[in-house]
Amino acid sequence: MEVAEKKVVGIHYKLTDDDGKVLDTSEGGQPLVFIHGIGMLIPGLEKALVGKSKGDSLKVAVKPEEGYGQRDDNLTQMVDKSQFDNAEEIQIGTQFQVDTPQGALIVMVTEITDNQVKIDGNHPLAGVNLNFDVTIEEVRDATAEELEHGHVHGPGGHNHG
Ligand code: ZN
């Protein structure tokens, strides 16, 4: 069976940047399982997997446009520490949700000065070239229930206990 829209696909993957630094990997854990074609993966990776079968390995280079997008400097902002209830607990890398006119946005603290905190709403991988090493572990039809729920059931997926 080949990877196509609405198949459940399980992959092991390793993600590195252009310097070879490992950004993410499924090694040592469960394969990543997802329903293909409903936007659960970044477009560049999803596209490259179409037509592949269980046991196939491939390398996929994904540009930011088909990954997490380009960085947008408008999404960074300096905020006075006095705006935070818990200013003393904030560290670089702290993430939290803010409400914006466009909806909720996850931001990360990227800089701390004496009086201010810099928050960044860009995805941490925005503007980064992504290099995936992928092995396909599983391809099967999604059940009607999985399609209805929009997620995979069973190992590595959603468990409704
Ligand atoms: Zn479900």
Side-chain angles (χ1 to χ4, degrees):
M1 186 176 287
E2 293 183 348
V3 176
E5 209 164 299
K6 300 193 177 157
K7 300 292 185 198
V8 169
V9 183
I11 59 171
H12 270 301
Y13 69 96
K14 189 169 80 171
L15 170 60
T16 52
D17 64 15
D18 281 349
D19 298 325
K21 183 179 159 215
V22 177
L23 303 172
D24 193 12
T25 180
S26 64
E27 251 167 56
Q30 291 274 3
L32 171 70
V33 292
F34 61 96
I35 302 173
H36 196 268
I38 64 169
M40 292 173 86
L41 291 192
I42 53 168
L45 183 55
E46 217 169 47
K47 219 189 275 180
L49 297 176
V50 172
K52 304 295 180 198
S53 310
K54 181 177 176 173
D56 285 351
S57 293
L58 62 156
K59 289 183 188 299
V60 186
V62 178
K63 298 268 178 231
E65 305 82 76
E66 291 200 303
Y68 293 99
Q70 298 290 358
R71 285 189 55 81
D72 179 354
D73 287 335
N74 292 322
L75 293 176
T76 63
Q77 202 186 335
M78 296 299 290
V79 181
D80 284 338
K81 275 188 179 169
S82 60
Q83 304 271 332
F84 294 90
D85 299 333
N86 58 338
E88 68 287 345
E89 290 168 26
I90 294 171
Q91 298 176 329
I92 287 177
T94 298
Q95 287 183 307
F96 53 93
Q97 190 172 311
V98 294
D99 293 316
T100 75
Q102 287 78 37
L105 183 69
I106 304 290
V107 300
M108 186 160 84
V109 174
T110 56
E111 206 181 307
I112 299 172
T113 67
D114 285 346
N115 301 314
Q116 290 192 306
V117 171
K118 188 177 192 179
I119 58 174
D120 188 345
N122 286 287
H123 190 282
L125 295 178
V128 177
N129 289 326
L130 307 170
N131 303 292
F132 290 93
D133 273 295
V134 180
T135 303
I136 302 196
E137 302 290 332
E138 179 188 19
V139 184
R140 64 169 170 85
D141 287 318
T143 65
E145 197 185 35
E146 285 173 326
L147 291 175
E148 195 187 312
H149 290 192
H151 56 226
V152 175
H153 294 159
H158 206 274
N159 196 334
H160 289 288

